[in-house]
Amino acid sequence: MNKLDRRNMIFFGLGTVGRDMFYALEANALIYYLSNVLDLPLGVFVATSMVFTVLRVFDALNDPIMGLLVDNTRSRHGRFKPPMALGALAGGACYLVLFADFGLRDYWFVAVFAIAYILWDIFYGLNDIAYWSMLPSLSVEQKTREKMGAFARICANIGMFAIMVGWEPITSGLGNTPKAWFTVALAVTILMLLFQLFTLFGVKERKDMFRREEEKTTLRGMWEVLTKNDQLLWTTLAMSLFNIGYMSTTTMAIYYMQYVYGNKDMYAVLAAVVGVAQLLALVIFQSFSKRMPREKLYLFATVLVMIGYAIFFFAEVSIVLIAVGALFIFIGQAFIQLLMLMFLEDTIEYGQWKNGKRSESITLSVQPLINKIGGAVSMGITSLMLVWSGIKVGETAAESISAGGQLTVKLMMIVLPVIFILAGYIIYRAKFKINKEMYDRIISDLRARGELHTAPEEAVAEIETAEVTIKEE
């Protein structure tokens, strides 16, 4: 990596610390806030839960439109930074409404929540698409992208697991009231905005990398980008299935610790173990990546996840077993998520090679789409589990549940995710064909066609070497 790559890696990665704190509180704790803090009537709670499922799936279809907006942005600040800033500011305002208690406990609550939620989803999606679309424009070298992506994921996991470890003890320490939760949401929003400044002001885009500025994309062109890239479609399906499984486990973890293990306070310990596992996985990822191709690394990671789930099914008798199972699951999960990001980014060059148009943001708009589908389905599963298991009864949350209810929690948190994760792996192995040899051929062809500078990273490195030589002389 040259100086510019290292600078971009650091400032790009730091930008997502606050973003993932922001997202993690919504994804992992908002439903707990609704079910166990606001104590909504059962009918209102069920209706609000449907908002998560229906509106998130509906808004996921809007993400390619957000990608179209980013791809068509032309400004002196580049394509990615203006929509990134707009998404952060507007999304932050809507986010605070989700955690604000206006005293509503009837179906007006559902209406206010639905409006705030769909707007938050749209603007967060705009920010997320712009952020991750910037990464493939910084380098086309696979190993450089892996380093940048790994560092960004490390920063993202620091933010995410700071919240996963901290939200329960902090909100409890503040009294576990709606006001306490709003205070935490406000603090997280401020941190998100501050960390975004690293990316907005620190990253230098590689505008010299591509020889020509692409024409603006039409709606028809957007549809063609998404549907004519077969590798993008298969990657999207595999990622969606994996995310449904993974997010079902993380969403239901607090209920598992409270109602199956029997001690909600130990959720922070589980979250800490998960955070350590993911950070460890991202730190050692490069060592494994050097020793085995991506397809073998994906198989290895999937095996780790399956071992972890097998341990977890019998783990409620001991926090040690819970920790061991979590280590296996989330080391493997972190490997898979980073690999999925790399697979998705490789489909950008594949689409450019096959269809003649790069369209980073439209292509990467499927990432928040995938996250939203995964979040919507997992939230729907969680909501059903709360009712079926007996946790949500009438207008209050139950203090304990029956053995049958505990089994329901375990099946939803462990067995169902295994099915989704294995299905995603099978689709990847059967349909994804962009290995290293094919990717190198794609890059070579793009350079020969004049759509990519001969070797942008090497050129910068040569300039830096020449500068050093001059100084020494």
Side-chain angles (χ1 to χ4, degrees):
M1 295 180 74
N2 56 59
K3 286 183 180 179
L4 180 59
D5 287 335
R6 285 191 290 271
R7 172 197 172 99
N8 283 342
M9 179 183 73
I10 292 169
F11 284 105
F12 179 79
L14 289 175
T16 201
V17 175
R19 287 177 71 257
D20 275 66
M21 295 176 71
F22 183 76
Y23 182 77
L25 185 64
E26 182 275 334
N28 294 284
L30 181 56
I31 193 166
Y32 187 84
Y33 168 70
L34 297 174
S35 66
N36 287 46
V37 178
L38 286 186
D39 277 337
L40 299 172
L42 182 60
V44 175
F45 172 76
V46 170
T48 306
S49 299
M50 292 302 295
V51 168
F52 283 117
T53 304
V54 176
L55 289 187
R56 182 166 279 195
V57 171
F58 173 78
D59 182 51
L61 304 177
N62 182 60
D63 284 326
I65 302 295
M66 297 297 103
L68 179 68
L69 292 176
V70 176
D71 267 341
N72 287 342
T73 297
R74 303 288 187 271
S75 78
R76 63 188 182 91
H77 301 294
R79 279 191 294 146
F80 308 110
K81 294 180 180 180
M84 194 186 304
L86 173 62
L89 290 169
C94 298
Y95 188 79
L96 294 178
V97 176
L98 297 177
F99 287 95
D101 182 12
F102 298 104
L104 301 173
R105 295 295 184 273
D106 54 16
Y107 287 97
W108 280 109
F109 176 88
V110 181
V112 172
F113 185 88
I115 294 170
Y117 189 79
I118 192 67
L119 289 174
W120 171 77
D121 233 13
I122 289 171
F123 285 112
Y124 179 80
L126 178 65
N127 175 271
D128 197 49
I129 291 166
Y131 178 84
W132 289 110
S133 298
M134 183 181 283
L135 177 55
S137 74
L138 301 179
S139 174
V140 294
E141 299 297 324
Q142 281 190 318
K143 292 303 177 184
T144 300
R145 278 186 183 176
E146 285 181 5
K147 291 177 181 177
M148 289 182 173
F151 183 72
R153 286 296 184 189
I154 289 171
C155 292
N157 278 275
I158 289 173
M160 176 169 61
F161 287 104
I163 284 298
M164 289 186 67
V165 172
W167 72 259
E168 196 282 326
I170 292 173
T171 53
S172 294
L174 293 174
N176 204 33
T177 62
K179 182 178 179 181
W181 278 76
F182 182 81
T183 300
V184 172
L186 178 61
V188 167
T189 301
I190 292 171
L191 287 171
M192 179 272 291
L193 294 173
L194 291 176
F195 274 101
Q196 283 282 270
L197 296 179
F198 284 107
T199 301
L200 291 171
F201 293 101
V203 171
K204 300 294 183 182
E205 291 183 41
R206 294 297 305 273
K207 298 177 182 178
D208 63 321
M209 191 178 299
F210 305 103
R211 288 192 179 280
R212 60 185 175 84
E213 184 76 31
E214 290 186 346
E215 296 180 357
K216 290 189 175 183
T217 306
T218 63
L219 284 172
R220 181 178 178 180
M222 177 196 75
W223 177 251
E224 291 177 349
V225 169
L226 294 172
T227 58
K228 290 187 176 181
N229 188 330
D230 58 298
Q231 294 300 285
L232 174 61
L233 293 174
W234 289 119
T235 304
T236 300
L237 180 57
M239 288 180 69
S240 296
L241 291 168
F242 172 81
N243 266 26
I244 290 170
Y246 158 67
M247 296 178 76
S248 294
T249 295
T250 57
T251 304
M252 288 190 282
I254 180 65
Y255 300 105
Y256 176 90
M257 296 306 293
Q258 181 171 352
Y259 295 101
V260 179
Y261 178 69
N263 187 348
K264 185 185 73 167
D265 294 339
M266 296 303 289
Y267 172 80
V269 175
L270 173 60
V273 171
V274 171
V276 169
Q278 290 210 327
L279 289 174
L280 174 63
L282 293 169
V283 169
I284 65 176
F285 178 85
Q286 289 296 320
S287 298
F288 283 86
S289 178
K290 290 176 182 177
R291 289 168 173 79
M292 61 179 76
R294 288 177 177 178
E295 53 268 25
K296 289 186 178 180
L297 187 53
Y298 191 0
L299 174 60
F300 171 71
T302 302
V303 171
L304 288 181
V305 170
M306 294 301 108
I307 293 172
Y309 275 117
I311 295 171
F312 222 97
F313 194 82
F314 305 98
E316 69 265 21
V317 297
S318 167
I319 189 64
V320 174
L321 280 178
I322 289 175
V324 172
L327 280 172
F328 276 98
I329 291 171
F330 290 96
I331 287 175
Q333 172 268 326
F335 275 20
I336 293 171
Q337 279 202 319
L338 184 53
L339 286 169
M340 288 285 192
L341 176 62
M342 297 301 106
F343 298 152
L344 190 59
E345 292 188 346
D346 287 350
T347 67
I348 294 172
E349 281 74 40
Y350 175 83
Q352 183 180 5
W353 174 71
K354 181 180 179 182
N355 302 318
K357 197 167 181 63
R358 188 169 174 81
S359 303
E360 296 106 322
S361 297
I362 294 174
T363 303
L364 287 178
S365 70
V366 304
Q367 179 166 266
L369 181 151
I370 289 163
N371 290 336
K372 288 172 182 178
I373 290 175
V377 176
S378 66
M379 200 68 73
I381 290 170
T382 301
S383 300
L384 291 173
M385 181 273 298
L386 291 174
V387 177
W388 289 345
S389 64
I391 291 174
K392 188 67 181 173
V393 181
E395 297 187 4
T396 62
E399 295 297 323
S400 62
I401 55 177
S402 66
Q406 292 178 341
L407 180 61
T408 299
V409 174
K410 289 174 66 175
L411 290 175
M412 293 290 192
M413 179 177 172
I414 300 169
V415 177
L416 199 61
V418 165
I419 296 171
F420 281 112
I421 290 169
L422 285 177
Y425 174 75
I426 291 169
I427 288 171
Y428 159 77
R429 289 294 297 176
K431 296 296 184 180
F432 192 78
K433 62 184 180 182
I434 309 177
N435 56 23
K436 186 180 186 307
E437 291 74 20
M438 183 177 185
Y439 184 82
D440 289 344
R441 187 171 77 251
I442 288 170
I443 294 300
S444 177
D445 287 351
L446 290 176
R447 287 171 178 160
R449 281 157 42 175
E451 297 180 29
L452 183 69
H453 278 301
T454 303
E457 278 79 11
E458 292 175 11
V460 174
E462 288 174 4
I463 293 171
E464 290 178 353
T465 302
E467 290 176 349
V468 171
T469 303
I470 292 171
K471 290 179 181 178
E472 290 176 349
E473 293 174 352

